[in-house]
């Protein structure tokens, strides 16, 4: 097989066979095909797209390019949730204990990552003593016992995706639905998910800025999952403004605890109920979404979700007292209010800009080497649609410096007002099951 023939075939609009896709993925992973030929093929895919069969074949070829985690020792259907990423997205911290309390095993492999705040592991490490260095045996045992465990990324998962993603990044081929969808799905499948629930974000703070693009990505991923035998569902949710109130690591742990107690922000709570219902259904613990939602509300109400969270923290070396005393979490040295300069209705809170402000405070990593300050961040007091009086605080800044001029400027510039009442954005744009 010659790579140049594959490039020409795709360039001219034909579909690649499974053998051809495997050839290119395997040989490229081994370093046998030069970047310039793969770049040309990626560009051809970018313009010519891939059909459903090609997308499924590409995903599985990437899954098989490296190690795969088999969670066969864990009882039940392992459901993984994936979010395409947003600002102040505290859902993973809430959903783990919430669906685990309904009997769905959550065996989560997670990362730190770059972004406005840390990843799930960074957030959990705001809890004193908490660690994710578990052996496979400990991980399995803990999931079987408490239904919830989080482990750091290990092993050589989807090396083909790592190489391709880096190459796409410098060849203008990141933004291609078949390439994004296969990239995300290959990682979830290699990490051992039997079923996958996707939260595809849309809006200013998201990878996909329009509902149309988000829908195309969601459908592509659901199709791949179902074509390779993993039940997959997706929702499209708003990321034009940050999710919930808190943006920051320890601040989001506290927000997650509030939410598990039934006292969280309305949008975060609703999103967790919608995603959680899907997880409980694909996890086989409820017949339909309504029944699942009732179960989730019940474990919030009766305190079972919080109990699971405590057991989970304790099992991974953390101090479970933070659940009842969140003041034990890292606290910033200073807090500053952001008084509104106007009266009216909040019309826009630009998610990515608020995320950048949190990152400037030290809540996120700009490069892999950056240190995160777990205590700092921003807590909003207003969301789009809320009324506000001049002088009322829009947000509290939690900082370990008194030099917050730039952060204030960003917030004032990117929180907008209207004299007329404003309808908040739709939190859930769509639910996609096939
Ligand atoms: N996230 C991924 O993991 N892969 C992509 O291609 C894009 C976003
Ligand atoms: Ca949040």
């Amino acid at each position: 097989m010659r790579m140049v023939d594959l490039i020409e075939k795709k360039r001219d609009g034909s579909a690649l066979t499974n053998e051809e896709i495997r050839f290119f993925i395997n040989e490229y992973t081994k370093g046998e095909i030069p970047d310039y030929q793969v770049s040309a093929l990626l560009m051809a895919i970018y313009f010519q797209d891939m059909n459903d069969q090609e997308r499924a074949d590409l995903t599985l070829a990437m899954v098989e390019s490296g190690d795969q985690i088999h969670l066969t020792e864990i009882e039940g259907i392992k459901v993984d949730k994936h979010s395409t990423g947003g600002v102040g997205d505290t859902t993973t911290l809430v959903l783990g204990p919430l669906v685990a309390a309904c009997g769905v095993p959550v065996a989560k492999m997670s990362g730190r990552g770059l972004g406005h705040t840390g990843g799930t592991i960074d957030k959990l490490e705001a809890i004193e003593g908490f660690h994710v260095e578990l052996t496979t045996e400990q991980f399995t045992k803990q999931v079987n016992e408490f239904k919830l465990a989080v482990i750091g990324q290990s092993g050589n998962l989807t090396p083909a995706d790592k190489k391709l993603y880096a190459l796409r990044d410098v060849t203008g081929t990141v933004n291609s639905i078949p390439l994004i969808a296969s990239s995300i799905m290959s990682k979830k499948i290699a990490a051992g998910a039997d079923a996958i629930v996707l939260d595809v974000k849309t809006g200013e703070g998201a990878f996909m800025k329009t509902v149309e693009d988000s829908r195309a990505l969601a459908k592509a991923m659901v199709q791949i999952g179902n074509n390779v035998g993993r039940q997959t569902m997706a929702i499209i949710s708003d990321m034009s403004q940050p999710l919930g109130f808190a943006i920051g690591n320890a601040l989001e742990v506290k927000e997650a605890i509030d939410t598990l107690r039934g006292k969280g922000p309305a949008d975060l709570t609703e999103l967790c109920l919608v995603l959680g219902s899907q997880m409980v259904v694909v996890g086989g613990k409820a017949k339909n979404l309504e029944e699942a939602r009732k179960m989730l509300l019940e474990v919030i109400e009766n305190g079972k979700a919080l109990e699971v969270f405590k057991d989970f923290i304790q099992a991974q070396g953390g101090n479970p007292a933070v659940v009842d005393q969140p003041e034990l979490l890292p606290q910033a040295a200073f807090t500053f209010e952001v008084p509104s300069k106007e009266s009216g209705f909040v019309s826009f809170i630009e998610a990515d800009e608020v995320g950048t402000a949190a990152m400037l405070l030290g809540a996120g990593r700009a490069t892999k080497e950056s240190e995160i300050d777990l205590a700092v961040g921003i807590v909003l007091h207003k969301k789009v649609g809320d009324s506000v009086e001049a002088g009322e605080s829009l947000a509290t800044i939690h900082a370990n410096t008194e030099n917050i001029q730039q952060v204030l400027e960003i917030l004032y510039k990117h929180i907008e007002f209207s004299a007329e009442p404003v309808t908040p954005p739709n939190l859930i744009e769509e639910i996609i099951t096939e």
Side-chain angles (χ1 to χ4, degrees), residues 399-419:
N400 275 326
T401 168
E402 288 183 273
N403 180 14
I404 54 149
Q405 204 47 45
Q406 207 186 344
V407 172
L408 272 177
E409 273 166 28
I410 293 175
L411 293 178
Y412 278 126
K413 185 159 171 213
H414 297 283
I415 302 181
E416 297 171 16
F417 302 90
S418 155

mmCIF file of all heavy atoms in Angstrom, residues 399-419:
data_model
loop_
_atom_site.group_PDB
_atom_site.id
_atom_site.type_symbol
_atom_site.label_atom_id
_atom_site.label_comp_id
_atom_site.label_asym_id
_atom_site.label_seq_id
_atom_site.Cartn_x
_atom_site.Cartn_y
_atom_site.Cartn_z
ATOM 1 N N ALA A 399 -8.072 36.314 45.492
ATOM 2 C CA ALA A 399 -6.724 36.504 44.945
ATOM 3 C C ALA A 399 -5.657 36.332 46.018
ATOM 4 O O ALA A 399 -5.924 36.548 47.206
ATOM 5 C CB ALA A 399 -6.608 37.895 44.334
ATOM 6 N N ASN A 400 -4.476 35.985 45.575
ATOM 7 C CA ASN A 400 -3.335 35.970 46.489
ATOM 8 C C ASN A 400 -2.399 37.129 46.203
ATOM 9 O O ASN A 400 -1.210 37.078 46.503
ATOM 10 C CB ASN A 400 -2.605 34.623 46.424
ATOM 11 C CG ASN A 400 -3.274 33.603 47.351
ATOM 12 O OD1 ASN A 400 -3.783 33.951 48.424
ATOM 13 N ND2 ASN A 400 -3.296 32.344 46.942
ATOM 14 N N THR A 401 -2.963 38.176 45.605
ATOM 15 C CA THR A 401 -2.217 39.403 45.356
ATOM 16 C C THR A 401 -3.217 40.550 45.487
ATOM 17 O O THR A 401 -4.421 40.344 45.323
ATOM 18 C CB THR A 401 -1.602 39.412 43.941
ATOM 19 O OG1 THR A 401 -1.136 40.735 43.660
ATOM 20 C CG2 THR A 401 -2.630 39.026 42.897
ATOM 21 N N GLU A 402 -2.691 41.756 45.779
ATOM 22 C CA GLU A 402 -3.601 42.907 45.805
ATOM 23 C C GLU A 402 -3.643 43.591 44.444
ATOM 24 O O GLU A 402 -4.396 44.532 44.231
ATOM 25 C CB GLU A 402 -3.167 43.878 46.903
ATOM 26 C CG GLU A 402 -3.463 43.316 48.282
ATOM 27 C CD GLU A 402 -3.116 44.275 49.392
ATOM 28 O OE1 GLU A 402 -1.954 44.280 49.833
ATOM 29 O OE2 GLU A 402 -4.026 45.033 49.809
ATOM 30 N N ASN A 403 -2.794 43.102 43.539
ATOM 31 C CA ASN A 403 -2.701 43.692 42.209
ATOM 32 C C ASN A 403 -3.693 43.013 41.264
ATOM 33 O O ASN A 403 -3.355 42.075 40.550
ATOM 34 C CB ASN A 403 -1.254 43.528 41.721
ATOM 35 C CG ASN A 403 -1.073 44.108 40.342
ATOM 36 O OD1 ASN A 403 -1.927 44.847 39.840
ATOM 37 N ND2 ASN A 403 0.040 43.760 39.710
ATOM 38 N N ILE A 404 -4.932 43.509 41.271
ATOM 39 C CA ILE A 404 -5.976 42.826 40.484
ATOM 40 C C ILE A 404 -6.569 43.740 39.414
ATOM 41 O O ILE A 404 -7.646 43.485 38.878
ATOM 42 C CB ILE A 404 -7.119 42.351 41.406
ATOM 43 C CG1 ILE A 404 -7.645 43.518 42.242
ATOM 44 C CG2 ILE A 404 -6.682 41.199 42.298
ATOM 45 C CD1 ILE A 404 -9.094 43.406 42.577
ATOM 46 N N GLN A 405 -5.811 44.812 39.090
ATOM 47 C CA GLN A 405 -6.326 45.811 38.154
ATOM 48 C C GLN A 405 -6.749 45.202 36.818
ATOM 49 O O GLN A 405 -7.839 45.450 36.322
ATOM 50 C CB GLN A 405 -5.251 46.903 37.941
ATOM 51 C CG GLN A 405 -5.825 48.242 37.486
ATOM 52 C CD GLN A 405 -7.034 48.669 38.333
ATOM 53 O OE1 GLN A 405 -7.011 48.572 39.572
ATOM 54 N NE2 GLN A 405 -8.103 49.105 37.665
ATOM 55 N N GLN A 406 -5.889 44.339 36.284
ATOM 56 C CA GLN A 406 -6.157 43.763 34.970
ATOM 57 C C GLN A 406 -7.398 42.851 35.005
ATOM 58 O O GLN A 406 -8.216 42.843 34.081
ATOM 59 C CB GLN A 406 -4.925 42.962 34.534
ATOM 60 C CG GLN A 406 -4.788 42.872 33.038
ATOM 61 C CD GLN A 406 -3.640 41.948 32.640
ATOM 62 O OE1 GLN A 406 -2.772 41.604 33.456
ATOM 63 N NE2 GLN A 406 -3.643 41.548 31.383
ATOM 64 N N VAL A 407 -7.529 42.122 36.111
ATOM 65 C CA VAL A 407 -8.678 41.216 36.277
ATOM 66 C C VAL A 407 -9.971 42.039 36.322
ATOM 67 O O VAL A 407 -10.967 41.714 35.665
ATOM 68 C CB VAL A 407 -8.497 40.374 37.556
ATOM 69 C CG1 VAL A 407 -9.756 39.578 37.871
ATOM 70 C CG2 VAL A 407 -7.296 39.436 37.408
ATOM 71 N N LEU A 408 -9.929 43.124 37.097
ATOM 72 C CA LEU A 408 -11.102 44.008 37.182
ATOM 73 C C LEU A 408 -11.473 44.572 35.820
ATOM 74 O O LEU A 408 -12.652 44.610 35.445
ATOM 75 C CB LEU A 408 -10.792 45.180 38.127
ATOM 76 C CG LEU A 408 -11.076 44.969 39.607
ATOM 77 C CD1 LEU A 408 -10.651 46.205 40.384
ATOM 78 C CD2 LEU A 408 -12.564 44.688 39.830
ATOM 79 N N GLU A 409 -10.458 45.001 35.080
ATOM 80 C CA GLU A 409 -10.716 45.581 33.755
ATOM 81 C C GLU A 409 -11.410 44.571 32.838
ATOM 82 O O GLU A 409 -12.358 44.907 32.138
ATOM 83 C CB GLU A 409 -9.397 46.031 33.104
ATOM 84 C CG GLU A 409 -9.023 47.447 33.498
ATOM 85 C CD GLU A 409 -7.573 47.793 33.140
ATOM 86 O OE1 GLU A 409 -7.043 47.204 32.166
ATOM 87 O OE2 GLU A 409 -6.996 48.645 33.846
ATOM 88 N N ILE A 410 -10.926 43.341 32.874
ATOM 89 C CA ILE A 410 -11.534 42.307 32.017
ATOM 90 C C ILE A 410 -12.999 42.101 32.410
ATOM 91 O O ILE A 410 -13.888 42.060 31.559
ATOM 92 C CB ILE A 410 -10.754 40.974 32.123
ATOM 93 C CG1 ILE A 410 -9.365 41.132 31.523
ATOM 94 C CG2 ILE A 410 -11.523 39.845 31.433
ATOM 95 C CD1 ILE A 410 -8.483 39.905 31.681
ATOM 96 N N LEU A 411 -13.250 41.988 33.719
ATOM 97 C CA LEU A 411 -14.624 41.730 34.157
ATOM 98 C C LEU A 411 -15.538 42.890 33.770
ATOM 99 O O LEU A 411 -16.636 42.679 33.236
ATOM 100 C CB LEU A 411 -14.658 41.475 35.664
ATOM 101 C CG LEU A 411 -13.960 40.180 36.113
ATOM 102 C CD1 LEU A 411 -14.017 40.039 37.638
ATOM 103 C CD2 LEU A 411 -14.589 38.944 35.461
ATOM 104 N N TYR A 412 -15.090 44.134 34.010
ATOM 105 C CA TYR A 412 -15.943 45.276 33.664
ATOM 106 C C TYR A 412 -16.201 45.353 32.159
ATOM 107 O O TYR A 412 -17.277 45.715 31.716
ATOM 108 C CB TYR A 412 -15.330 46.588 34.171
ATOM 109 C CG TYR A 412 -15.637 46.843 35.640
ATOM 110 C CD1 TYR A 412 -14.624 47.089 36.556
ATOM 111 C CD2 TYR A 412 -16.956 46.835 36.105
ATOM 112 C CE1 TYR A 412 -14.904 47.308 37.902
ATOM 113 C CE2 TYR A 412 -17.249 47.047 37.439
ATOM 114 C CZ TYR A 412 -16.223 47.300 38.343
ATOM 115 O OH TYR A 412 -16.515 47.503 39.650
ATOM 116 N N LYS A 413 -15.193 44.966 31.385
ATOM 117 C CA LYS A 413 -15.345 45.072 29.937
ATOM 118 C C LYS A 413 -16.279 43.985 29.387
ATOM 119 O O LYS A 413 -16.991 44.207 28.403
ATOM 120 C CB LYS A 413 -13.956 44.945 29.294
ATOM 121 C CG LYS A 413 -13.957 45.160 27.808
ATOM 122 C CD LYS A 413 -12.584 45.520 27.286
ATOM 123 C CE LYS A 413 -12.628 45.495 25.761
ATOM 124 N NZ LYS A 413 -11.374 45.071 25.178
ATOM 125 N N HIS A 414 -16.296 42.822 30.038
ATOM 126 C CA HIS A 414 -17.004 41.693 29.420
ATOM 127 C C HIS A 414 -18.274 41.262 30.154
ATOM 128 O O HIS A 414 -18.832 40.220 29.844
ATOM 129 C CB HIS A 414 -16.040 40.526 29.214
ATOM 130 C CG HIS A 414 -14.943 40.885 28.261
ATOM 131 N ND1 HIS A 414 -15.133 40.928 26.900
ATOM 132 C CD2 HIS A 414 -13.669 41.299 28.486
ATOM 133 C CE1 HIS A 414 -14.007 41.326 26.323
ATOM 134 N NE2 HIS A 414 -13.102 41.559 27.257
ATOM 135 N N ILE A 415 -18.697 42.057 31.135
ATOM 136 C CA ILE A 415 -20.037 41.858 31.687
ATOM 137 C C ILE A 415 -20.873 43.027 31.165
ATOM 138 O O ILE A 415 -20.563 44.188 31.421
ATOM 139 C CB ILE A 415 -20.021 41.818 33.232
ATOM 140 C CG1 ILE A 415 -19.093 40.686 33.720
ATOM 141 C CG2 ILE A 415 -21.442 41.606 33.769
ATOM 142 C CD1 ILE A 415 -19.017 40.531 35.236
ATOM 143 N N GLU A 416 -21.903 42.692 30.390
ATOM 144 C CA GLU A 416 -22.672 43.747 29.728
ATOM 145 C C GLU A 416 -24.086 43.845 30.293
ATOM 146 O O GLU A 416 -24.582 42.893 30.905
ATOM 147 C CB GLU A 416 -22.734 43.454 28.211
ATOM 148 C CG GLU A 416 -21.351 43.473 27.580
ATOM 149 C CD GLU A 416 -21.352 42.984 26.139
ATOM 150 O OE1 GLU A 416 -22.437 42.917 25.506
ATOM 151 O OE2 GLU A 416 -20.252 42.667 25.653
ATOM 152 N N PHE A 417 -24.712 45.017 30.073
ATOM 153 C CA PHE A 417 -26.015 45.301 30.674
ATOM 154 C C PHE A 417 -27.013 45.790 29.637
ATOM 155 O O PHE A 417 -26.636 46.300 28.587
ATOM 156 C CB PHE A 417 -25.851 46.367 31.765
ATOM 157 C CG PHE A 417 -24.882 45.957 32.828
ATOM 158 C CD1 PHE A 417 -23.529 46.262 32.698
ATOM 159 C CD2 PHE A 417 -25.303 45.227 33.930
ATOM 160 C CE1 PHE A 417 -22.616 45.858 33.655
ATOM 161 C CE2 PHE A 417 -24.395 44.815 34.894
ATOM 162 C CZ PHE A 417 -23.044 45.129 34.753
ATOM 163 N N SER A 418 -28.287 45.649 30.009
ATOM 164 C CA SER A 418 -29.348 46.171 29.153
ATOM 165 C C SER A 418 -30.364 46.850 30.061
ATOM 166 O O SER A 418 -30.569 46.435 31.200
ATOM 167 C CB SER A 418 -29.988 45.000 28.399
ATOM 168 O OG SER A 418 -31.302 45.326 28.043
ATOM 169 N N ALA A 419 -31.004 47.888 29.558
ATOM 170 C CA ALA A 419 -32.042 48.549 30.346
ATOM 171 C C ALA A 419 -33.320 47.711 30.360
ATOM 172 O O ALA A 419 -34.124 47.775 31.284
ATOM 173 C CB ALA A 419 -32.321 49.934 29.765
#
